[in-house]
Coordinates of all heavy atoms in Angstrom, one line a residue:
S1 N -6.5 -12.7 -110.9 CA -5.1 -12.7 -110.7 C -4.7 -12.7 -109.2 O -5.5 -12.3 -108.4 CB -4.5 -11.4 -111.4 OG -4.9 -10.3 -110.6
Y2 N -3.5 -13.0 -109.0 CA -3.0 -13.1 -107.6 C -3.1 -11.7 -107.0 O -3.5 -11.6 -105.8 CB -1.5 -13.5 -107.6 CG -0.9 -13.5 -106.2 CD1 -1.2 -14.5 -105.3 CD2 -0.1 -12.4 -105.9 CE1 -0.6 -14.4 -104.0 CE2 0.5 -12.4 -104.6 CZ 0.2 -13.4 -103.7 OH 0.7 -13.3 -102.4
T3 N -2.8 -10.6 -107.7 CA -2.9 -9.3 -107.2 C -4.3 -8.9 -106.8 O -4.6 -8.4 -105.7 CB -2.3 -8.2 -108.2 OG1 -1.0 -8.6 -108.5 CG2 -2.4 -6.8 -107.6
C4 N -5.3 -9.2 -107.7 CA -6.7 -8.9 -107.4 C -7.2 -9.7 -106.2 O -7.9 -9.2 -105.3 CB -7.6 -9.2 -108.6 SG -7.4 -8.1 -110.0
E5 N -6.8 -11.0 -106.1 CA -7.2 -11.8 -105.0 C -6.6 -11.3 -103.7 O -7.3 -11.2 -102.7 CB -6.7 -13.3 -105.2 CG -7.6 -14.1 -106.1 CD -7.2 -15.5 -106.2 OE1 -6.4 -16.0 -105.3 OE2 -7.6 -16.2 -107.1
T6 N -5.4 -10.8 -103.7 CA -4.7 -10.3 -102.5 C -5.4 -9.0 -102.1 O -5.7 -8.8 -100.9 CB -3.2 -10.0 -102.8 OG1 -2.6 -11.2 -103.2 CG2 -2.5 -9.5 -101.6
I7 N -5.8 -8.2 -103.0 CA -6.5 -6.9 -102.7 C -7.8 -7.2 -102.1 O -8.2 -6.7 -101.1 CB -6.6 -6.0 -103.9 CG1 -5.2 -5.5 -104.3 CG2 -7.5 -4.8 -103.7 CD1 -5.1 -4.7 -105.6
L8 N -8.6 -8.1 -102.8 CA -9.9 -8.5 -102.3 C -9.8 -9.1 -100.9 O -10.6 -8.8 -100.0 CB -10.6 -9.4 -103.3 CG -12.0 -9.8 -102.9 CD1 -12.9 -8.6 -102.7 CD2 -12.6 -10.8 -104.0
L9 N -8.9 -10.0 -100.7 CA -8.7 -10.7 -99.4 C -8.3 -9.6 -98.3 O -8.8 -9.7 -97.2 CB -7.6 -11.8 -99.5 CG -7.4 -12.6 -98.2 CD1 -8.8 -13.3 -97.8 CD2 -6.4 -13.7 -98.5
S10 N -7.5 -8.7 -98.7 CA -7.2 -7.6 -97.7 C -8.4 -6.8 -97.3 O -8.6 -6.5 -96.2 CB -6.1 -6.7 -98.4 OG -4.9 -7.4 -98.6
V11 N -9.2 -6.4 -98.3 CA -10.4 -5.7 -98.0 C -11.4 -6.5 -97.2 O -11.9 -6.0 -96.2 CB -11.1 -5.2 -99.3 CG1 -12.5 -4.6 -99.1 CG2 -10.2 -4.2 -100.1
L12 N -11.6 -7.8 -97.5 CA -12.4 -8.6 -96.7 C -11.9 -8.8 -95.3 O -12.7 -8.7 -94.3 CB -12.6 -10.0 -97.3 CG -13.4 -10.1 -98.6 CD1 -13.3 -11.4 -99.2 CD2 -14.8 -9.7 -98.4
N13 N -10.6 -8.9 -95.1 CA -10.0 -9.0 -93.8 C -10.2 -7.7 -93.0 O -10.6 -7.8 -91.8 CB -8.5 -9.3 -93.8 CG -8.2 -10.8 -94.0 OD1 -8.9 -11.7 -93.4 ND2 -7.2 -11.1 -94.8
W14 N -10.0 -6.6 -93.7 CA -10.2 -5.3 -93.0 C -11.7 -5.2 -92.6 O -12.0 -4.8 -91.4 CB -9.8 -4.2 -93.9 CG -10.2 -2.8 -93.3 CD1 -9.5 -2.2 -92.4 CD2 -11.3 -2.1 -93.6 NE1 -10.1 -1.0 -92.0 CE2 -11.3 -0.9 -92.8 CE3 -12.4 -2.2 -94.4 CZ2 -12.2 0.1 -92.8 CZ3 -13.4 -1.2 -94.4 CH2 -13.3 -0.1 -93.6
L15 N -12.6 -5.5 -93.4 CA -14.1 -5.4 -93.1 C -14.4 -6.3 -92.0 O -15.2 -6.0 -91.1 CB -14.9 -5.6 -94.3 CG -15.0 -4.5 -95.4 CD1 -15.7 -5.0 -96.6 CD2 -15.6 -3.3 -94.8
H16 N -13.9 -7.5 -92.0 CA -14.1 -8.5 -90.9 C -13.6 -8.0 -89.6 O -14.3 -8.0 -88.6 CB -13.4 -9.8 -91.3 CG -13.9 -11.0 -90.6 ND1 -15.0 -11.7 -90.9 CD2 -13.3 -11.7 -89.6 CE1 -15.2 -12.7 -90.1 NE2 -14.2 -12.7 -89.3
L17 N -12.4 -7.4 -89.6 CA -11.8 -6.9 -88.3 C -12.6 -5.6 -87.9 O -12.9 -5.5 -86.7 CB -10.4 -6.5 -88.5 CG -9.4 -7.7 -88.7 CD1 -8.0 -7.2 -89.1 CD2 -9.3 -8.5 -87.4
F18 N -13.0 -4.8 -88.8 CA -13.8 -3.6 -88.5 C -15.1 -4.0 -87.9 O -15.5 -3.4 -86.8 CB -14.0 -2.7 -89.7 CG -14.7 -1.4 -89.4 CD1 -13.9 -0.4 -88.9 CD2 -16.0 -1.2 -89.6 CE1 -14.5 0.9 -88.6 CE2 -16.7 0.0 -89.3 CZ -15.9 1.0 -88.8
A19 N -15.8 -4.9 -88.4 CA -17.1 -5.4 -87.9 C -16.9 -5.9 -86.5 O -17.7 -5.7 -85.5 CB -17.8 -6.4 -88.8
T20 N -15.8 -6.7 -86.3 CA -15.5 -7.3 -85.0 C -15.3 -6.1 -83.9 O -15.8 -6.2 -82.8 CB -14.3 -8.2 -85.0 OG1 -14.5 -9.2 -86.0 CG2 -14.0 -8.8 -83.7
V21 N -14.4 -5.2 -84.3 CA -14.1 -4.1 -83.4 C -15.3 -3.2 -83.1 O -15.6 -2.8 -82.0 CB -13.0 -3.3 -84.0 CG1 -12.8 -2.0 -83.2 CG2 -11.7 -4.1 -84.0
A22 N -16.2 -3.0 -84.1 CA -17.3 -2.1 -83.9 C -18.3 -2.8 -82.9 O -18.8 -2.1 -82.0 CB -18.1 -1.9 -85.3
W23 N -18.5 -4.1 -83.1 CA -19.5 -4.8 -82.2 C -18.9 -4.9 -80.8 O -19.5 -4.5 -79.8 CB -19.7 -6.2 -82.8 CG -20.8 -7.0 -82.1 CD1 -21.5 -6.6 -81.0 CD2 -21.2 -8.3 -82.4 NE1 -22.4 -7.7 -80.6 CE2 -22.2 -8.7 -81.5 CE3 -20.8 -9.2 -83.4 CZ2 -22.8 -9.9 -81.5 CZ3 -21.4 -10.5 -83.4 CH2 -22.4 -10.8 -82.5
I24 N -17.7 -5.4 -80.7 CA -17.1 -5.6 -79.3 C -16.7 -4.3 -78.7 O -16.9 -4.1 -77.5 CB -15.9 -6.6 -79.4 CG1 -16.4 -8.0 -79.9 CG2 -15.2 -6.7 -78.1 CD1 -15.3 -8.9 -80.3

């Protein structure tokens, strides 16, 4: 569903940003 995809995409974006910030 659109809601599940949005939640999953939000979590993936957050993890992506977190990994970037942790490394840099």
Side-chain angles (χ1 to χ4, degrees):
S1 74
Y2 176 77
T3 303
C4 289
E5 282 184 15
T6 302
I7 291 169
L8 182 56
L9 186 57
S10 296
V11 170
L12 288 172
N13 278 321
W14 175 80
L15 287 171
H16 199 77
L17 290 170
F18 186 80
T20 302
V21 169
W23 186 1
I24 297 168

